Amino acid sequence: MFPSQVVVMHGPHQASASRLTIFAHLFGILAFILMLVWLLHYRGGIEYDSYDGYRVFNVHPLLMFCGFIFLSGEAMMVYKTVKAQHFVQKVVHMILQLGAFVLGVIGICAVFKFHDMANIEDVYSLHSWIGIATISLFALQWLAGLSTYMFPQTDITRKTLLPWHVCGGRTLLYMSIAAALTGLMEKATFIGLSHSREARLLNFLGLSILLFGIFVDLSVVLARYV
């Protein structure tokens, strides 16, 4: 679970953080559209129960992006985008992060299923190492956040752990982005993309994912530290 509390912002930085969330949403939506175009138009579609292993594989990048990057980013910005009491914001934050984890687990199951269908070794690449580390730490982060901020704890405990919780969430977001970008590069290498429309689309997809993460992170930084 990513940053669980965000203090009230002061001065001109409040408006800046709000504008940054708008840019984050735009790049997140753009990345989602580009992902769908790539998987549906160039890669043959998306279907977890298909007999076509490549359609099964396509579930993986879609759900990993929707979960660990898009939903997690939205959860980090929830204290700016959801106008409600702080407890309600915390609940929405927790639910979004839980949804991100569930999508991530299904996405990993999809790639393992594809590997079984194609007789490919599991967890052999840098992309897979980063991905497994990310989902493992993500689960620990969510459980730690749940026990600290959704159950009774002393104010001292919450204040002491909050900077670690925030920094851990930001780190996990960038780990997710690193996994996504290395995964796109790995896939492009496997299918032999070079100078083509699909290759350029993947480049724009990767840039959109990176910019989404940057604007999410900047909005959190401005809201908390500046």
Side-chain angles (χ1 to χ4, degrees):
M1 189 165 57
F2 290 110
S4 179
Q5 295 181 353
V6 176
V7 297
V8 177
M9 294 181 294
H10 304 282
H13 304 296
Q14 181 173 4
S16 298
S18 297
R19 286 192 293 268
L20 288 172
T21 62
I22 295 174
F23 284 107
H25 291 143
L26 291 176
F27 281 113
I29 293 171
L30 176 60
F32 179 72
I33 293 172
L34 293 176
M35 179 73 74
L36 286 180
V37 171
W38 177 48
L39 297 177
L40 297 176
H41 180 68
Y42 289 100
R43 295 289 102 207
I46 307 163
E47 185 181 356
Y48 189 90
D49 293 324
S50 175
Y51 292 105
D52 183 345
Y54 293 103
R55 291 170 64 89
V56 175
F57 172 84
N58 290 343
V59 175
H60 174 69
L62 177 65
L63 293 190
M64 301 312 286
F65 166 74
C66 290
F68 283 146
I69 296 176
F70 188 75
L71 280 186
S72 292
E74 291 296 327
M76 292 176 72
M77 298 186 294
V78 77
Y79 299 97
K80 286 299 301 173
T81 56
V82 176
K83 304 301 181 182
Q85 295 181 350
H86 185 67
F87 179 76
V88 175
Q89 292 175 327
K90 287 201 298 183
V91 171
V92 174
H93 174 82
M94 181 190 71
I95 292 173
L96 287 176
Q97 297 291 18
L98 180 59
F101 181 74
V102 171
L103 291 180
V105 169
I106 298 173
I108 287 181
C109 289
V111 76
F112 283 159
K113 181 179 180 180
F114 166 71
H115 286 176
D116 288 341
M117 296 171 72
N119 294 318
I120 298 175
E121 182 182 356
D122 293 322
V123 195
Y124 64 90
S125 65
L126 176 62
H127 162 69
S128 61
W129 289 9
I130 296 174
I132 292 297
T134 301
I135 194 170
S136 301
L137 294 174
F138 190 100
L140 294 176
Q141 170 88 342
W142 191 87
L143 291 173
L146 178 68
S147 62
T148 303
Y149 300 107
M150 299 304 295
F151 291 95
Q153 296 286 351
T154 64
D155 289 339
I156 294 177
T157 299
R158 289 182 173 181
K159 289 179 181 179
T160 300
L161 294 178
L162 183 58
W164 293 99
H165 185 66
V166 174
C167 291
R170 294 172 61 198
T171 300
L172 284 169
L173 178 65
Y174 280 112
M175 288 179 67
S176 300
I177 292 172
L181 299 186
T182 54
L184 292 176
M185 293 177 62
E186 184 178 294
K187 184 64 175 180
T189 301
F190 284 167
I191 61 180
L193 290 183
S194 54
H195 302 289
S196 65
R197 290 183 178 180
E198 184 178 358
R200 288 190 289 272
L201 185 145
L202 279 185
N203 288 344
F204 281 114
L205 172 57
L207 286 174
S208 298
I209 291 173
L210 177 61
L211 288 171
F212 172 75
I214 288 173
F215 279 109
V216 168
D217 189 47
L218 287 175
S219 71
V220 172
V221 170
L222 281 178
R224 170 162 291 279
Y225 297 114
V226 181

